[in-house]
Structure formats: C-alpha cells, structure tokens
Amino acid sequence: MSQHKAIGFIGLGVMGEPICRNLVNKSGARVIAFDLAPEPLARLKSDGVAAAASVADVIGSSEILFLCLPSARHVRAVFEGDGILENIRQGQIVVDLGTSSVSQTRDFARQLQARGASWADAPIARTRQAAQDGTLSVMVGATPELYAAIEPLIRCFATDVTNCGGTGAGQVTKILNNMVLFETVNALAEAVAIAKRNGVDPALLLDTLSKGSADSFALRNHGLKAIVPGNFPERAFSTEYALKDLSYALELASDAGIKIRGAELIGQILQEAIDAGSGGAYFPVIAKYLG
C-alpha cells in the first residue's frame, strides 16, 4: 500500500512499539527502528523490523521517519548533533507522533524546509490498547500535499486522522485535548471524593453520571477504570508527562495573552502529586491526594 520503500522509526516505548509493529505489518514497507533500550528492538525483530545502530543510521536507511518520543526535549536530542538536521536528505519526511512544543515544532519545520525536507506534527491520542489495536486518533499539522503523502501510513495505526491545519496545528489541537482531559479528570476525582464522604458509592455515581450530561470518555475510562478502583499503574500516562503536556498549553495561553485559571490550578495539583511521590504513576492518581 505504501509508496515508501523504507520507513524509519525512533522511540519504541509504551506507544511506539505497538505503532511500529502495526506499521511493519500493514504498510508493506521495510521498517528500520532505533531505541536506546534493546528489549523492544528484540521483540520487534520477530515482526520483521530491522534494528538500527543510531539515529543517523535510521535516517540514512529510510525515506520517511516517524518519531514517538516522550517530550520536546527528547525530540530536540534526536534533531541536533549527529541527528536529523545533520543527516536529512532532500525529499525526506519526518513525522513527529509525540506531544511537543508548538514553537519548537515550527522551528524544526522551517529548518528542514531549508534543506528541501518536510516536518509534520501528528500527535497521537487514545490509550495503549488503542495503539496495539491500531485504533488511535491522530491530529496532523501539515500542508494538504504533505498530509496526502503521510495519511495512508498513519492509517496503519489509527482509525481517526484529522488534518488540523498547517505546521503546528496538530500540536495545538492535541495540547488542548489534553488540557481539557486533565481538568475533566480532576473534576471526576473531586466528585468521587465528595460522594465517598456522603455515603454514595463512587462506581454508582459515575455510572449514573454517564447516563446524563456529565458523561465523557474521561468518565468511562479514567474515572471508572482508574479513580474508582484506585488503579494507577506505572508505565501508563504518568503525572510527570501530564504536567509536561499541560506546560505546553500554559505556554500557548501566555503567548496569546490569555489567563487560563483552570489549567493553572490543575498544574498545581499535578505538581503536588509529583511532590508526594506519584510522578511516575498514571496521572488520575491525583484523586489519591484529595481530602
């Protein structure tokens, strides 16, 4: 299905590994991957993914490169040095699947454009299970021409793909998605805490709310599956990652001269959970510290 003969992939974490697996199994293209950890590379070998020795090796062996990295800092690390900018070739495409700084995204896109290459922001949304099932939602920032070139490959691991506008628009949309999610999860945590103190079963509360105007994806997933049972595993979407993503929303608001009090408050709440030792836990752990 792919016009690309070779796909590069950097970042094989909780989301990156299953995304890479779906790419190699569905695209019909050769996939070469790199990660600092050897374990996911070993697991993907049985799917036909080739292991690269370095970031430069991936770039030199592929036509289109996917990044699935934890933060803007990690993206910058593979962009600079003996990385993307140093080794990029004319006509190559870089697709960033992580949630990252909008200003950095646009800066990197300008630098690649000067080299005759392209950068698309395509941050992913939904759960680890969705990554495994190939049912992610992806919000893309790209020109119509670039979007047309990358959409078929993105659909190897996503069922909902939206072109949100030009460079950076995908990041803006995903950052705001997460901002709304974090604030909603905090509201659910507060509702559960109050229900417990007043003799109402939290599971009954959220099940009932799901039948009315308070229903949401966050309620049915983060509320019923995490807050109610007190299930806050490691290696899920952590409190530290949540605060990192929220910082991008606060940066956007500051640049626009908009004061977002709700987001500022959830930032304080996330930081308190981190300070209490839950930085690596699934971010609905904020419910643990109410009351």
Side-chain angles (χ1 to χ4, degrees):
M1 61 161 284
S2 173
Q3 62 179 330
H4 303 284
K5 296 178 181 178
I7 299 169
F9 203 99
I10 298 174
L12 302 172
V14 170
M15 303 296 275
E17 181 180 343
I19 290 172
C20 187
R21 182 171 289 111
N22 276 311
L23 268 174
V24 73
N25 289 333
K26 297 178 184 179
S27 69
R30 177 174 180 264
V31 178
I32 180 169
F34 176 75
D35 194 272
L36 294 175
E39 294 83 5
L41 287 166
R43 289 190 293 266
L44 286 166
K45 184 178 179 181
S46 62
D47 291 280
V49 176
S54 65
V55 171
D57 188 19
V58 177
I59 299 167
S61 303
S62 61
E63 298 169 326
I64 181 168
L65 172 65
F66 285 89
L67 308 177
C68 194
L69 297 164
S71 70
R73 176 173 59 87
H74 294 86
V75 174
R76 181 170 290 278
V78 300
F79 188 84
E80 297 176 338
D82 189 23
I84 293 171
L85 187 61
E86 179 73 21
N87 294 281
I88 201 76
R89 303 186 308 277
Q90 185 170 350
Q92 278 186 297
I93 299 171
V94 178
V95 183
D96 182 10
L97 301 175
T99 307
S100 193
S101 161
V102 176
S103 58
Q104 177 175 286
T105 294
R106 290 173 173 160
D107 176 47
F108 287 176
R110 284 190 293 268
Q111 291 187 62
L112 288 201
Q113 186 177 29
R115 301 285 184 95
S118 302
W119 182 285
D121 47 298
I124 54 175
R126 294 182 181 150
T127 63
R128 172 170 35 183
Q129 188 62 52
Q132 294 168 354
D133 296 340
T135 57
L136 291 169
S137 173
V138 180
M139 306 164 202
V140 183
T143 63
E145 296 78 16
L146 182 55
Y147 177 77
I150 65 177
E151 182 194 8
L153 289 179
I154 292 174
R155 289 198 177 275
C156 290
F157 53 84
T159 48
D160 291 287
V161 186
T162 306
N163 188 358
C164 300
T167 304
Q171 293 293 359
V172 171
T173 305
K174 174 63 190 305
I175 288 164
L176 297 180
N177 172 86
N178 285 9
M179 182 189 79
V180 171
L181 172 64
F182 303 150
E183 294 187 55
T184 303
V185 168
N186 184 61
L188 292 167
E190 292 176 347
V192 165
I194 294 169
K196 285 180 179 177
R197 294 292 179 90
N198 285 275
V200 174
D201 177 64
L204 182 146
L205 170 75
L206 294 193
D207 181 63
T208 303
L209 295 185
S210 74
K211 299 168 186 175
S213 57
D215 186 30
S216 67
F217 175 92
L219 185 154
R220 286 176 271 111
N221 288 273
H222 302 77
L224 285 168
K225 297 177 183 178
I227 293 173
V228 169
N231 183 29
F232 313 117
E234 304 286 321
R235 282 186 61 78
F237 191 83
S238 73
T239 312
E240 289 176 343
Y241 282 1
L243 185 58
K244 177 265 297 182
D245 284 4
L246 185 73
S247 73
Y248 301 144
L250 294 170
E251 179 185 348
L252 288 173
S254 177
D255 291 345
I258 300 170
K259 188 167 182 60
I260 47 175
R261 294 179 178 87
E264 290 173 353
L265 176 59
I266 189 60
Q268 295 171 21
I269 291 168
L270 291 166
Q271 186 63 60
E272 288 168 4
I274 293 169
D275 293 342
S278 292
Y282 189 34
F283 82 88
V285 74
I286 57 176
K288 181 178 174 181
Y289 299 101
L290 280 172

